[in-house]
Amino acid sequence: MLLIPAIDLKDGHCVRLRQGDMQDATVFSEDPRAMARYWIDQGARRLHLVDLNGAIAGKPKNEAVIKAIIDEVGDEIPVQLGGGIRDLDTIERYLDDGISYIIIGTAAVKNPGFLHDACSAFSGHIIVGLDAKEGKVAVDGWSKMTGHDVIDLAKKYEDYGVEGVIYTDIGRDGMLNGVNIEATVKLAQALRIPVIASGGITNLLDIDALCAVEEEGIMGAITGRAIYEGTLDFRAAQARADELNGES
């Protein structure tokens, strides 16, 4: 089970939002590059970056900070990035800069042809991000609910050739009230590609619960507020996951 620290970028700072609300942001670091180094030193094997301003604007807005993080990380661990990525040129630029995986969210729902083209042009580098509440997909920074069923969409994107799915329960993200294990497992069971869980991780009990269902196809989990506010010790959590999965 891969635990992936989230570095959410707003106005050049590392922040966390509650349920995607840009007006409810807590700044955890004014130096995201140093934060990236910190998580690597704590044993992170992958980083999750989100350009929050970019997600709202529909185009990159924190590119200079993202490049600084990439320079810091080098080729030590993979970095995945989402937020405001709406065209193939932006994907190519980020991959050339050193990003390993591009996350396409809202654009995948609104413009599936773009996702299909991205998977064809950059095979092996595209992850789709699906944010859902009660089984229905949300878009535009969670501000709009759609009628799309999350499993039906994920299956379609699997056929396009995406590398995996990041599944966020938007009712739980940033609320520190536990992972929606049932919904995450249901999605993973319906797919052949791996699922990365996101939203709600609070403590080691959540790590235990995720590890117990890893064989259903859940390869990792993104964690944010819990590791910044201290309800979850990242190094201890990854060690726990490794122990439960016989990797230590």
Side-chain angles (χ1 to χ4, degrees):
M1 178 66 64
L2 193 66
L3 300 184
I4 309 171
I7 298 178
D8 290 358
L9 302 167
K10 180 176 184 279
D11 304 330
H13 300 149
C14 172
V15 307
R16 289 302 288 171
L17 307 182
R18 290 185 188 275
Q19 296 189 291
D21 185 355
M22 287 288 277
Q23 304 307 312
D24 193 357
T26 303
V27 176
F28 286 110
S29 173
E30 296 185 358
D31 188 351
R33 178 175 182 152
M35 187 57 66
R37 171 51 52 192
Y38 175 78
W39 294 126
I40 292 173
D41 291 345
Q42 291 295 306
R45 298 169 196 160
R46 186 185 291 199
L47 291 178
H48 176 79
L49 307 184
V50 181
D51 182 347
L52 293 171
N53 302 105
I56 300 299
K59 58 185 178 181
K61 287 292 186 178
N62 284 281
E63 203 162 353
V65 179
I66 291 164
K67 284 185 177 181
I69 291 171
I70 296 168
D71 288 343
E72 180 64 39
V73 173
D75 58 2
E76 289 183 63
I77 62 172
V79 176
Q80 59 192 41
L81 168 69
I85 298 169
R86 303 284 192 271
D87 59 71
L88 298 180
D89 288 343
T90 300
I91 294 175
E92 184 172 28
R93 189 167 71 249
Y94 275 136
L95 292 176
D96 286 346
D97 286 343
I99 293 291
S100 300
Y101 301 101
I102 296 294
I103 303 160
I104 300 176
T106 291
V109 181
K110 289 189 167 184
N111 185 3
F114 164 58
L115 178 66
H116 191 278
D117 290 345
C119 289
S120 297
F122 307 106
S123 177
H125 295 282
I126 306 299
I127 296 174
V128 71
L130 290 175
D131 306 327
K133 186 174 183 179
E134 298 175 357
K136 299 300 181 182
V137 174
V139 296
D140 292 336
W142 308 351
S143 63
K144 298 176 185 174
M145 297 301 300
T146 73
H148 294 297
D149 179 84
V150 66
I151 291 178
D152 290 344
L153 269 190
K155 284 183 173 180
K156 181 167 78 170
Y157 299 156
E158 179 178 61
D159 291 340
Y160 288 179
V162 298
E163 278 295 289
V165 174
I166 295 173
Y167 173 69
T168 304
D169 184 318
I170 65 175
R172 303 198 184 203
D173 186 77
M175 301 304 289
L176 299 179
N177 58 2
V179 180
N180 190 333
I181 295 289
E182 182 181 1
T184 306
V185 168
K186 187 177 179 182
L187 177 62
Q189 288 175 335
L191 302 174
R192 300 181 305 276
I193 55 176
V195 170
I196 297 173
S198 175
I201 288 178
T202 307
N203 53 40
L204 284 175
L205 292 176
D206 293 313
I207 305 304
D208 292 350
L210 282 166
C211 287
V213 295
E214 182 176 16
E215 291 184 353
E216 301 293 346
I218 301 169
M219 68 158 283
I222 295 165
T223 177
R225 185 171 290 274
I227 55 174
Y228 288 103
E229 295 194 345
T231 65
L232 185 72
D233 179 288
F234 181 83
R235 185 185 289 278
Q238 185 63 73
R240 174 75 169 170
D242 291 344
E243 177 187 357
L244 289 172
N245 295 319
E247 295 178 21
S248 59

